[in-house]
Amino acid sequence: MAIIRILIAGLAFASLSACGAAYISSDIANFRGDDSVQVVDLSTAVVAQANRSAYQPEALPAAFSRIAGAGSRLRGGARLPEPVFDPQTRPGALELRVPPAVDPGSYVIGVGDVLILATPRWESSVEEMAGLVAAQNQRQGYTVQDNGDIAIPDIGRINVGNMTLSEAEDAVFERLIAARIDPTFSLEVAEFNSQRISIGGAVREPGVVPIGMLPVYLNEVLAQAGGVDVGSDAFSVIRIYRDGTLYQIPTADLYADQNLQRIRLVNGDSIFVDTAYDFEQAQAYFEETIQRAQFTQNARANAIAALQAEVSIRRNALEESRQNFRDRVEFGAAGGDFVYIAGEVTRPGRFELPFGNTATLADALFDAGGWSEATGDPSQIYLMRGASAGEQLSAITAYRLDGSNALNLTLATRMELRPGDVIFVAEQPVTRWNRVIDQITPTIFNLGAAAVN
């Protein structure tokens, strides 16, 4: 009976072979010695020689390397005319005109102010707000931007413009709660830049005095400017320009009356110590200065708006160009340099070579999921490459990588790919036998059943 079974199996295999149905596997090793195929084992020297073949990766279009602001330039407004009003003659009798008392209330946060968010360093909120506290640890605050926002990492933008410090703390508190962050903090104004008083004229150090949380008085501003620098108090006057109205205090009256020294100043006040202007000329001078400043500011704002519009148009054009290229690549109208992967790999197919860079054997092999652990033979990994330009079209080089030695995988990370390369992983001998058995087993059973009947 055993002899009969062997004969049946042999007849079945012969029958399969005769009709061409027997399993036949791909094998590159059988081509060793063939003049048209050169099988070369990969080594460091072989990799270096193979990589010397001429190849220039396809470059991305220039739109992917350009920026929208390239070549843009901020253009200012027209040149301002020369000032008209200059010091003329010393005034005669000086009239005392005192500005009314004011109470601006609590300090209002404005553009340019620098806020510091202080948190306890020993509590867990510091770790939860790592990006937010880093600046405070280094004494770096958050500057209020043109639209009144401050940008806090991990929290986002919070509008605090035209708010008191208490209102700003409430706004920050709500955002921290919304972000599920421990809201233990205190808000401080580190730099007062939004509210100012300007002082000029006959003072030793003209400039700008910022207004902070505390009230600012006339004698303090004069002291910060180095004091009045005039030859005679009888012919000097301190002029205060506020909300389109000009007030004046003769220097002699200022020193004689302490209440005049404690006049409270507010944001936007302009102080000018004059020794030659009369009232009308001083008022004209301030009005001209304000008009020139407003003209410059408006021209600057218009130039910024024009620049932003230009950059936006360029950005849209660049993005449209880039999207057109992506669509062409998607539909196969651009690019098209591929390497083909076959044999015992997890995902056979093709691997697209990147733009502007080279890829290696390891990149393509592991992009395909690597060789199959169940059926692939890691010692028989081949990279097949056709002839270069000028050589015979039939010449093929098969570079063999012995991946059974893990150290050889470093060669795969250095072996560069070229368009049209084919990567092939051979099957294990036992895999070949199993597939043959799987193919002939049904026929054996059929023949055996026929013999029994």
Side-chain angles (χ1 to χ4, degrees):
M1 182 63 68
I3 295 176
I4 294 176
R5 292 178 179 175
I6 293 174
L7 290 175
I8 292 175
L11 291 173
F13 184 76
S15 175
L16 286 172
S17 300
C19 65
Y23 176 73
I24 300 174
S25 63
S26 300
D27 193 351
I28 298 174
N30 294 334
F31 287 92
R32 286 184 180 270
D34 192 323
D35 293 337
S36 63
V37 178
Q38 182 182 7
V39 180
V40 180
D41 291 335
L42 277 184
S43 64
T44 303
V46 171
V47 169
Q49 181 180 5
N51 290 345
R52 282 197 290 268
S53 61
Y55 171 61
Q56 184 65 36
E58 187 171 353
L60 282 170
F64 284 88
S65 59
R66 294 178 56 191
I67 60 175
S72 300
R73 185 172 61 88
L74 184 63
R75 303 172 181 84
R79 184 176 180 272
L80 289 173
E82 297 297 327
V84 176
F85 296 96
D86 294 321
Q88 299 296 323
T89 59
R90 294 181 182 272
L94 300 176
E95 179 184 358
L96 175 65
R97 298 185 181 183
V98 181
V102 293
D103 182 13
S106 301
Y107 183 84
V108 176
I109 298 171
V111 176
D113 287 344
V114 178
L115 307 183
I116 284 183
L117 191 64
T119 60
R121 299 185 181 181
W122 59 85
E123 294 184 0
S124 60
S125 61
V126 174
E127 299 176 357
E128 295 176 354
M129 301 162 59
L132 181 142
V133 180
Q136 190 273 340
N137 289 340
Q138 301 175 7
R139 304 304 297 169
Q140 295 178 354
Y142 305 100
T143 302
V144 180
Q145 302 175 5
D146 293 345
N147 57 359
D149 290 349
I150 57 173
I152 302 178
D154 301 331
I155 298 299
R157 306 178 73 86
I158 304 177
N159 188 280
V160 296
N162 298 323
M163 292 185 182
T164 65
L165 191 59
S166 176
E167 293 171 343
E169 286 180 343
D170 292 340
V172 174
F173 179 87
E174 293 177 1
R175 290 298 298 274
L176 294 179
I177 291 297
R180 299 181 180 180
I181 296 177
D182 183 2
T184 304
F185 72 97
S186 64
L187 195 65
E188 306 171 7
V189 182
E191 297 179 19
F192 300 89
N193 299 319
S194 63
Q195 298 187 28
R196 305 175 181 179
I197 299 169
S198 61
I199 181 168
V203 291
R204 293 180 175 85
E205 298 177 6
V208 176
V209 178
I211 298 179
M213 295 293 183
L214 300 177
V216 179
Y217 298 99
L218 178 59
N219 62 336
E220 297 174 348
V221 173
L222 292 173
Q224 291 188 42
V228 177
D229 186 15
V230 295
S232 174
D233 293 341
F235 298 99
S236 63
V237 62
I238 299 171
R239 306 190 192 278
I240 303 175
Y241 190 85
R242 176 186 296 170
D243 296 334
T245 304
L246 186 64
Y247 307 94
Q248 63 182 24
I249 301 173
T251 306
D253 294 341
L254 176 70
Y255 292 151
D257 189 349
Q258 188 175 5
N259 291 329
L260 296 177
Q261 299 179 24
R262 300 300 290 176
I263 292 176
R264 183 171 181 178
L265 304 177
V266 295
N267 180 39
D269 283 355
S270 295
I271 312 300
F272 191 89
V273 179
D274 186 20
T275 60
Y277 286 113
D278 60 21
F279 183 83
E280 290 75 13
Q281 289 175 325
Q283 183 174 9
Y285 168 80
F286 283 114
E287 290 176 350
E288 182 188 44
T289 301
I290 292 174
Q291 289 176 358
R292 290 168 63 87
Q294 289 176 345
F295 178 84
T296 302
Q297 182 178 6
N298 292 337
R300 191 74 172 175
N302 292 336
I304 291 175
L307 178 62
Q308 290 175 342
E310 179 181 351
V311 171
S312 178
I313 292 173
R314 292 187 179 187
R315 182 180 292 114
N316 292 336
L318 287 176
E319 181 57 33
E320 182 179 6
S321 177
R322 294 167 184 171
Q323 187 58 47
N324 289 340
F325 179 77
R326 296 188 190 100
D327 293 340
R328 293 183 62 198
V329 171
E330 180 181 355
F331 291 106
D337 287 341
F338 296 97
V339 170
Y340 303 90
I341 307 172
E344 304 301 321
V345 293
T346 304
R347 293 185 300 274
R350 65 180 186 177
F351 173 77
E352 185 173 5
L353 295 178
F355 290 93
N357 196 7
T358 58
T360 65
L361 172 59
D363 294 330
L365 186 61
F366 288 99
D367 184 75
W371 62 83
S372 172
E373 295 291 342
T375 62
D377 185 355
S379 66
Q380 301 293 325
I381 300 174
Y382 293 92
L383 171 61
M384 293 174 284
R385 179 170 299 170
S388 302
E391 298 181 3
Q392 297 180 2
L393 295 178
S394 59
I396 298 176
T397 302
Y399 298 99
R400 187 181 76 89
L401 173 66
D402 184 2
S404 61
N405 184 350
L407 295 177
N408 290 338
L409 294 179
T410 58
L411 298 175
T413 65
R414 301 177 185 176
M415 183 65 180
E416 296 179 1
L417 299 177
R418 298 292 184 263
D421 284 352
V422 177
I423 300 172
F424 177 79
V425 179
E427 62 186 354
Q428 299 178 12
V430 67
T431 302
R432 184 180 297 110
W433 174 247
N434 287 339
R435 288 172 176 171
V436 171
I437 295 300
D438 290 340
Q439 200 171 27
I440 68 174
T441 297
T443 303
I444 293 175
F445 279 122
N446 291 336
L447 291 176
V452 172
N453 294 334

